[in-house]
Amino acid sequence: MKLILLGAPGAGKGTQAAILSEKLSIPTISTGNILRAAVKNGTPVGLKAKSYMDAGQLVPDEVIIGIVAERLAQPDCAKGFILDGVPRTIAQAEALDQEGVQFDAVVDIEVDDAVIEQRMSGRRACTNCGATYHVVAAPPKAPGVCDVCGGELIQRPDDKPETVRSRLKVYHVETEPLRGFYARRGLLKTVENQQTIEDTTKAILSALGL
C-alpha cells in the first residue's frame, strides 16, 4: 500500500500514520523526520538542504522531493509506505509524478477548522521530556505538571490560537487544492473525522477496502 495522508494541521495525520504503519507493516515517511535524518547523515541532498536551513531559508521543493525520493528508494519501502507532510502543494505533487512515485490511494481526513482550533489550542507539552497532553481529551493528573517526569507543561507557540488560524489559512490556500488534483486521478478517499481515534482508523481502513 502506497499512501498519502492529507488533512489540515491538527487533523490527526501523524497519529493515524503511526497506527496504519503498524497495522500494514509499512514505514511512515514524515518530511520533518527524513529531512533531519538526511542532514544528520550528510547525504548529498541532505547537505543541500542544510545550506538552506543554515541560511534561515525554506528548503526548496526540488530538494524536499529529492530527499523523499531518496528515502522511498530504500528497501523498507518496497512493500509500501505512508507519506505524511508531503506533498504540500500541487508543484510538489507534480514533482513526485515526475520522479515516477506512484500511489494506491490518497486519504483526506476532513476536520472542521473550529474543531482543529479547539483541539490544537488545548495541547500541552512537557518542557523536560516532551510528553504531550490535552487539557480536555488527555489532561495530566495535576494541572500544568507532567505525569511522566514532573516537568512544566506549556503551550507550544505553534498551538496558540492565532498561529493555528494562520496555519489553517496557509493549508486552505496551498494544500487543499491537492484534493482536486488526486480526485481527478481517482485516488482520493475522503474520511470524515470520527469521535475517537479508533473510529477514525476504522473509517480509513474501510475507505481503503481493508
Side-chain angles (χ1 to χ4, degrees):
M1 266 275 176
K2 296 174 178 178
L3 305 175
I4 294 174
L5 283 189
L6 277 187
K13 299 186 296 298
T15 302
Q16 293 301 329
I19 295 168
L20 292 170
S21 172
E22 203 171 306
K23 282 188 184 292
L24 305 175
S25 302
I26 53 176
T28 293
I29 312 299
S30 149
T31 9
N33 292 349
I34 60 169
L35 194 52
R36 282 187 288 276
V39 169
K40 189 180 166 197
N41 298 334
T43 71
V45 196
L47 291 171
K48 211 172 182 182
K50 188 176 186 298
S51 67
Y52 287 100
M53 289 155 80
D54 287 349
Q57 297 171 337
L58 281 178
V59 181
D61 278 357
E62 67 269 20
V63 179
I64 297 275
I65 298 305
I67 286 173
V68 171
E70 199 174 68
R71 178 67 185 87
L72 297 183
Q74 290 177 17
D76 64 334
C77 291
K79 291 181 182 167
F81 51 79
I82 301 163
L83 280 189
D84 169 20
V86 68
R88 281 184 192 272
T89 60
I90 299 277
Q92 287 186 358
E94 288 171 343
L96 283 170
D97 263 1
Q98 281 156 18
E99 287 280 348
V101 181
Q102 303 284 312
F103 302 102
D104 296 311
V106 176
V107 177
D108 178 40
I109 305 171
E110 283 282 288
V111 187
D112 285 343
D113 283 5
V115 173
I116 284 178
E117 229 176 285
Q118 182 188 21
R119 191 184 279 179
M120 289 178 78
S121 58
R123 291 203 295 208
R124 297 292 181 271
C126 175
T127 51
N128 192 30
C129 74
T132 54
Y133 300 86
H134 191 280
V135 292
V136 179
K141 294 191 180 96
V145 181
C146 177
D147 296 350
V148 182
C149 72
E152 183 197 356
L153 300 184
I154 57 153
Q155 184 179 47
R156 289 183 183 137
D158 261 12
D159 292 335
K160 293 198 162 142
E162 59 277 17
T163 314
V164 173
R165 280 193 286 274
S166 152
R167 289 174 71 196
L168 285 170
K169 208 179 200 173
V170 171
Y171 167 78
H172 291 309
V173 172
E174 291 187 357
T175 307
E176 208 166 38
L178 286 170
R179 282 159 47 178
F181 181 88
Y182 287 115
R184 287 189 289 279
R185 284 163 168 68
L187 294 173
L188 191 73
K189 315 274 182 200
T190 301
V191 172
E192 296 292 330
N193 182 47
Q194 307 295 311
Q195 288 299 314
T196 66
I197 289 169
E198 293 75 17
D199 285 346
T200 303
T201 306
K202 275 185 203 158
I204 292 172
L205 292 171
S206 163
L208 293 172
L210 298 171

